[in-house]
Amino acid sequence: MGQKPRGPGRWPGLLLGAVAGGVVFGGALTVAQDALADDGRMQGRALVEERCSACHQKEADGSLHRIDHVRKTPEGWTMTLFRMRQFHGVALSDEEQRTLVRYFADRQGLAPEEAAPYRYVLERRPSVVEEPVTDGDLTVMCARCHSVARVGLQRRDEDEWRRLVNFHLGQWPTIEYSAQGRDRKWWEIASTEIPQTLGGKFPFRTDAWTSWQAAPKPDLSGRWAVAGHRAGIGSYGGTATVTKEATKDGDGYRIAYDLTDSAGKPLKGEGRSTVFTGYEWRGTGTLDGKPVREVFAASRDGSRLDGRWFLTQQDEVGGSLHAVRAGGADSTILGTSQSFLKAGSTARITLWGSGLDRGEVGFGPGVSAKILSRGPTSVTVEATAAADAVPGARSLTVGGAKSAGFAVYATLDSIRVEPDFTIARVGGNGGPVPPMTAQFEAVGYLNGPDSKPGTADDVRVGPMPASWSVEPFNDAAAQMEDVKFAGAMGSNGLFTPAGAGPNPQRQFGTNNIGDLKVVGTVIDGSATLTGTGRLISTVQRWNDPPIH
Amino acid sequence: MKTHANGVRPMRIRRSISHLGGLLAALLLAASPAAAKDYLLTGAKPDKLVLVDAAARKVERVLTIPGGGVAPGTIVPSSDGRIAYVVSNHMGSVSGIDLDSGKQVFRADFSTGDLRVRSLFGMDVSPDGKELYVFQAPVRMLPGEYRVEDTRIAVYSTADGVGAKPVRLLPAPRRVAVLAFSRDGGTLWALGWDLYGLDPKTGAVKETHKVLNWSRANHSPPDVLDIWPQFEQAATLSTPYFTARTDLAATDPGAFRTGLMTLDLATGRMDMRDFEDTSAVIFSSVVSPVKRTEAYSVYTQLTKIDTDGGKLVKRVDLPHTYYSINVSSDGKEVYVGGTACDIGVYGTDTLDRVGQVEIAGCPDQGIASLRVIRR
């Protein structure tokens, strides 16, 4: 109660400044970019020698103790430098920090395939439930406090992992006493078995990194076809134009979005980015007039960009983004304005992608499509599903391009609330940490061949208009009147938590946390279907680092 | 500034009015120990030690702990009730504050050179008042890396005053949270994974009562975390524990059990006894000095427990969370404190709220100990 957070809100600002900081280096730089990049590398090493080597001494092979033996993401290096400034008083200007993050991420980053399993944490996706790690005790020893991803996005050898464990208990000696740490001999395990396991699983030297270091890094400039989905709002698509922008730290780009939403309303955006490690796109800009950040990964060959953008000040609100090069020889379908059609109905549907200006457009059996407009990156059709169209999944085709993720239905068999489990956080109310909302969608499903709901062969139809309510998740939630106090569920499936702090109206004067069953109700013809999910609205995150 | 013969500094007039009664009381008490009454000691953020006249429901004195930090932690009164040793400075120091003069009469800063040392909750003073025992976790701050060192108990001579250095360093098991001297001073009990009876001279483990390593059939190792030393009134250390029945389904009403561990500091007798199917979070507990089979526990609810029968006698809701609890010398009142800025007073018969003490300005007590002294 009444805790004074050490500095909530500092992390996002720092990330914005340090990682997605291409924006500050705008200007008509005319010097060749490679020379600038070389300059950046030299500056980076010079800064390391100057500011770090007093503590990180040279080892016999000339490498710097610790620094030269770790690989991390740009966010990981940002956190390291934050810690060095915060805990150890290292004097670094924000600009110097940007230079160093760039330097380290390029020199000691992760290969694309090393980062791939854990991108959700970099993208700050709000509703990810991680798979337990089966190696040793890693889930229990590490992932009770951190995400598994935080561990999986670092590479060190055993002795270096052991030093990290020493730092953990040295800096936070109450770990052994915490609810997550005291059910076992935490230190004894953490200092022996765990570094060994981690060194085997996530070692410093890997073939993947060696290969990526040698690989040519893609130039991402050009015109891109784009599509994505915003939970609770819908899909969007269009094009993005990426132009190279020389910065003193190396590759930087400007991006301009020309998109429409699923209803055809224009959606404009622009931004600037820095690309770390040859593929890690970190951008800042605006979309639909709102400040956003972008975390994308380019594919090895530079033919794709995939990731997520989110509101700068509210990172749980955002959308997916997938992009392929526009104008190539191949056709690709990236997304659709809607993912379903009811038998006996007609709808105007837009497909987004590349090379869509040629070839036949097909929605599969029982669906006819009349082309209304067509270009290389989108085709809009009037699609009609016959009254007797067989319900089920369909493949969309445009020429040689094929895409799953479309369905025809007569009546929905079930509704699932997605995500089926997530969290929100109380906030605001005069406190320094804003609330964290939670967005739900009511997604229609068909039972699929086995005629049973909730099985693997269910066919996902898509998000449906729904009405929303919340109920106590269990007896304890009913007794504490969580429904009354925890917050409000909006008509669009957006849950807004109540204000932070003790609430004198509640039993024990407790805060406005709650454990809720989320109910989405969909009217489908004469049928009423409901789906349920679980929402725990919990306390503020006082410390909000770039990687949780 | 002149110091009076009794060691009490005259305070400035504008401050003295509210303290005058207390000063007079202290002077009278010094001459008349038979009139001793209960005072509560608690801490308040960021750097205050608070002395409360329990019967009067009144803050008697607010003393400042010098030297940094954001929250006082463990508080240990000297056996004569004149000095309170309190951990502060981000768990990096202990200050001995004279409760009459407010003066810092003892201070030990734990860290030295490249060894950064934090105390982790466990602290007690020997019954003769001569030695202060502090459980510590050191880390070596080497160039470019940390190295965790073995935990230890540092022994300070209270006579060494400000700037005290350890007179002995005793080896100690990790994860100790409470230190409590046996009544005769011959054993220093340390509650960690198990309850260790240590030789205060050498730190050697003389005896061990198993706690997490118990061998109770069909029960998971109990979960114990109690950082509140609240054993002075009954000379009995107590702590709640939580265990799961491994032979029952998690949905079985009896699958999770709450119990109380008690250690009689006079006899060394230790007992662990369930008293309910788990139905409440409990942070800490205290045993009545009068009805010695009665204990009280606290978090969002106040609970009366029959420790002999292993039964929950009564439970009432509290207006908010309290971490710490203590009991009056006559056994008639329990005091719930910690967390926020008030101390609630409850009758032990009915568990009715019979009073409260508010700390001016409403500073959080946080995890500070709630101790009872006789003055």
Side-chain angles (χ1 to χ4, degrees):
Chain A
M1 297 177 82
Q3 285 177 339
K4 305 291 185 294
R6 197 157 48 184
R10 292 194 62 180
W11 276 117
L14 191 72
L15 179 73
L16 186 65
V19 174
V23 69
V24 300
F25 296 125
L29 299 176
T30 52
V31 190
Q33 192 167 339
D34 285 353
L36 279 170
D38 282 345
D39 192 33
R41 277 192 287 275
M42 285 169 64
Q43 269 187 37
R45 196 66 202 177
L47 264 176
V48 172
E49 298 282 353
E50 185 186 318
R51 307 292 168 81
C52 314
S53 62
C55 293
H56 295 278
Q57 291 160 359
K58 273 213 168 71
E59 296 179 345
D61 62 359
S63 66
L64 287 180
H65 184 52
R66 307 209 63 187
I67 292 180
D68 287 336
H69 303 275
V70 178
R71 292 192 287 119
K72 297 179 186 186
T73 58
E75 284 81 359
W77 284 112
T78 301
M79 290 165 70
T80 299
L81 292 170
F82 177 90
R83 207 159 46 229
M84 292 302 141
R85 294 168 80 174
Q86 180 95 342
F87 293 174
H88 303 299
V90 175
L92 282 178
S93 67
D94 289 348
E95 185 175 331
E96 287 167 339
Q97 172 156 327
R98 280 190 288 273
T99 302
L100 284 179
V101 169
R102 178 61 193 247
Y103 168 77
F104 285 128
D106 286 353
R107 186 174 188 262
Q108 291 153 241
L110 262 62
E113 53 271 48
E114 290 177 320
Y118 306 110
R119 301 210 63 80
Y120 53 83
V121 81
L122 302 174
E123 294 168 356
R124 299 184 81 78
R125 291 184 185 268
S127 302
V128 176
V129 179
E130 294 184 306
E131 293 294 320
V133 183
T134 50
D135 305 57
D137 251 351
L138 291 189
T139 292
V140 169
M141 292 297 293
C142 308
R144 280 177 166 181
C145 295
H146 302 301
S147 61
V148 171
R150 181 156 168 171
V151 182
L153 289 171
Q154 299 182 49
R155 295 294 182 277
R156 304 161 185 258
D157 286 334
E158 181 184 338
D159 57 346
E160 187 49 48
W161 282 111
R162 188 170 289 110
R163 291 187 181 100
L164 182 67
V165 172
N166 273 268
F167 161 72
H168 271 66
L169 194 62
Q171 188 66 31
W172 295 285
T174 54
I175 289 175
E176 291 176 289
Y177 296 75
S178 70
Q180 309 284 324
R182 67 171 178 261
D183 68 335
R184 60 200 57 229
K185 294 207 162 178
W186 191 91
W187 169 246
E188 288 79 348
I189 302 168
S191 57
T192 55
E193 300 161 30
I194 294 297
Q196 215 173 1
T197 308
L198 288 169
K201 191 174 171 69
F202 301 118
F204 181 68
R205 286 177 194 78
T206 62
D207 292 344
W209 177 243
T210 305
S211 154
W212 178 244
Q213 276 183 301
K217 307 300 182 291
D219 177 349
L220 301 178
S221 55
R223 198 150 173 279
W224 295 78
V226 172
H229 180 78
R230 293 181 289 180
I233 299 175
S235 298
Y236 60 88
T239 60
T241 304
V242 175
T243 49
K244 210 173 229 183
E245 184 173 68
T247 75
K248 68 195 281 194
D249 284 345
D251 284 354
Y253 297 97
R254 278 173 174 273
I255 189 164
Y257 295 101
D258 186 4
L259 311 170
T260 57
D261 68 12
S262 55
K265 185 175 151 263
L267 198 59
K268 298 280 187 191
E270 53 77 33
R272 283 175 160 151
S273 76
T274 299
V275 174
F276 300 90
T277 329
Y279 71 99
E280 290 282 12
W281 173 293
R282 301 293 184 271
T284 59
T286 59
L287 192 62
D288 210 13
K290 293 177 183 137
V292 296
R293 285 160 50 198
E294 302 159 337
V295 177
F296 307 149
S299 59
R300 269 184 100 98
D301 62 359
S303 68
R304 278 192 73 101
L305 280 170
D306 295 278
R308 182 171 178 263
W309 58 266
F310 44 86
L311 298 185
T312 304
Q313 297 300 328
Q314 202 184 354
D315 60 34
E316 77 273 19
V317 177
S320 61
L321 182 132
H322 305 285
V324 294
R325 300 277 185 181
D330 296 334
S331 298
T332 306
I333 301 168
L334 282 173
T336 61
S337 59
Q338 76 176 53
S339 60
F340 53 83
L341 202 53
K342 192 171 171 87
S345 75
T346 297
R348 184 188 164 99
I349 297 177
T350 298
L351 279 59
W352 293 296
S354 67
L356 302 183
D357 52 349
R358 51 195 182 260
E360 208 169 311
V361 178
F363 278 69
V367 183
S368 60
K370 181 179 145 197
I371 294 171
L372 300 178
S373 64
R374 185 167 203 179
T377 57
S378 72
V379 52
T380 299
V381 302
E382 188 179 78
T384 301
D388 60 354
V390 178
R394 295 288 192 281
S395 289
L396 301 180
T397 51
V398 177
K402 194 170 177 179
S403 165
F406 196 85
V408 173
Y409 75 102
T411 55
L412 296 171
D413 290 329
S414 69
I415 294 294
R416 292 189 202 171
V417 167
E418 294 179 357
D420 64 351
F421 174 46
T422 194
I423 61 165
R425 292 180 184 277
V426 298
N429 198 24
V433 180
M436 176 182 162
T437 58
Q439 177 71 59
F440 295 91
E441 292 184 307
V443 180
Y445 275 82
L446 301 177
N447 285 344
D450 71 356
S451 303
K452 288 179 194 152
T455 54
D457 71 351
D458 286 8
V459 176
R460 191 178 195 271
V461 175
M464 298 286 158
S467 57
W468 293 93
S469 60
V470 290
E471 298 172 7
F473 186 78
N474 51 27
D475 290 346
Q479 192 204 321
M480 290 299 293
E481 299 184 275
D482 286 0
V483 168
K484 180 177 168 189
F485 291 110
M489 179 58 101
S491 58
N492 57 350
L494 180 70
F495 179 84
T496 305
N503 183 348
Q505 308 296 316
R506 293 200 82 171
Q507 190 181 11
F508 313 129
T510 193
N511 52 20
N512 290 318
I513 61 171
D515 191 355
L516 302 174
K517 183 158 94 172
V518 175
V519 183
T521 302
V522 172
I523 306 292
D524 180 35
S526 59
T528 301
L529 294 94
T530 61
T532 62
R534 184 182 190 180
L535 169 71
I536 293 180
S537 191
T538 185
V539 296
Q540 302 95 312
R541 182 183 256 287
W542 296 109
N543 181 0
D544 190 20
I547 299 176
H548 288 160
Chain B
M1 187 179 276
K2 280 184 187 173
T3 302
H4 286 189
N6 66 355
V8 181
R9 280 180 171 184
M11 296 186 178
R12 277 182 285 181
I13 296 298
R14 64 184 172 86
R15 285 175 137 195
S16 67
I17 303 300
S18 64
H19 297 311
L20 194 58
L23 278 172
L24 287 172
L27 290 169
L28 286 169
L29 284 172
S32 164
K37 55 178 182 172
D38 284 355
Y39 286 82
L40 306 177
L41 265 178
T42 184
K45 294 179 183 177
D47 59 356
K48 301 298 183 227
L49 186 64
V50 182
L51 182 68
V52 174
D53 180 335
R57 320 283 192 234
K58 199 166 122 299
V59 172
E60 179 88 7
R61 211 165 291 159
V62 176
L63 308 164
T64 298
I65 306 152
V70 294
T74 304
I75 300 170
V76 173
S78 62
S79 43
D80 61 5
R82 295 177 64 91
I83 296 165
Y85 299 96
V86 54
V87 171
S88 68
N89 191 22
H90 304 280
M91 302 161 111
S93 303
V94 58
S95 289
I97 308 290
D98 184 304
L99 292 174
D100 293 311
S101 69
K103 201 177 157 195
Q104 177 174 263
V105 295
F106 178 88
R107 170 86 172 196
D109 297 314
F110 306 141
S111 298
T112 50
D114 65 358
L115 199 64
R116 190 166 78 186
V117 182
R118 300 280 185 250
S119 81
L120 286 165
F121 316 117
M123 181 166 80
D124 202 10
V125 69
S126 57
D128 63 8
K130 288 184 178 167
E131 289 187 327
L132 183 68
Y133 289 67
V134 184
F135 179 78
Q136 297 180 336
V139 58
R140 187 79 59 189
M141 309 292 283
L142 299 169
E145 68 179 297
Y146 293 49
R147 196 173 68 212
V148 171
E149 305 263 317
D150 290 342
T151 47
R152 65 192 196 187
I153 293 168
V155 185
Y156 298 91
S157 169
T158 54
D160 284 350
V162 175
K165 306 279 180 232
V167 292
R168 292 195 303 286
L169 290 172
L170 311 180
R174 299 201 74 83
R175 228 219 78 181
V176 163
V178 179
L179 292 181
F181 260 99
S182 65
R183 198 150 242 198
D184 63 7
T187 302
L188 179 64
W189 291 101
L191 178 61
W193 280 86
D194 289 319
L195 188 51
Y196 311 100
L198 308 179
D199 179 337
K201 295 293 169 216
T202 63
V205 180
K206 299 194 295 183
E207 57 183 308
T208 300
H209 294 299
K210 288 183 178 177
V211 180
L212 268 81
N213 290 309
W214 72 5
S215 52
R216 202 189 274 195
N218 299 324
H219 285 73
S220 71
D223 182 36
V224 176
L225 179 71
D226 190 340
I227 59 172
W228 292 275
Q230 297 160 170
F231 47 77
E232 63 271 26
Q233 289 292 70
T236 304
L237 171 63
S238 71
T239 184
Y241 67 84
F242 304 89
T243 180
R245 287 282 296 270
T246 51
D247 57 336
L248 298 177
T251 49
D252 190 294
F256 298 94
R257 300 281 294 164
T258 302
L260 206 66
M261 186 218 79
T262 53
L263 172 75
D264 186 326
L265 294 170
T267 64
R269 184 178 170 273
M270 184 264 211
D271 185 46
M272 293 183 76
R273 199 167 300 201
D274 298 1
F275 67 86
E276 66 163 333
D277 293 338
T278 299
S279 60
V281 173
I282 298 175
F283 264 36
S284 70
S285 59
V286 69
V287 173
S288 168
V290 176
K291 297 179 188 169
R292 298 181 59 86
T293 59
E294 199 162 285
Y296 316 96
S297 72
V298 76
Y299 186 60
T300 51
Q301 292 161 313
L302 173 65
T303 304
K304 178 152 73 172
I305 301 155
D306 170 359
T307 58
D308 230 18
K311 283 193 199 79
L312 184 152
V313 180
K314 185 164 187 188
R315 175 168 285 160
V316 296
D317 284 358
L318 297 172
H320 62 80
T321 302
Y322 296 88
Y323 296 159
S324 57
I325 186 166
N326 221 315
V327 59
S328 63
S329 300
D330 62 8
K332 290 182 178 165
E333 292 182 341
V334 282
Y335 309 103
V336 294
T339 323
C341 63
D342 69 291
I343 295 168
V345 185
Y346 289 77
T348 50
D349 280 346
T350 59
L351 301 190
D352 287 341
R353 192 169 177 106
V354 295
Q356 72 174 35
V357 183
E358 301 208 9
I359 303 171
C362 203
D364 287 349
Q365 294 163 86
I367 62 160
S369 313
L370 180 66
R371 307 301 299 255
V372 181
I373 53 173
R374 299 278 292 169
R375 289 165 57 79

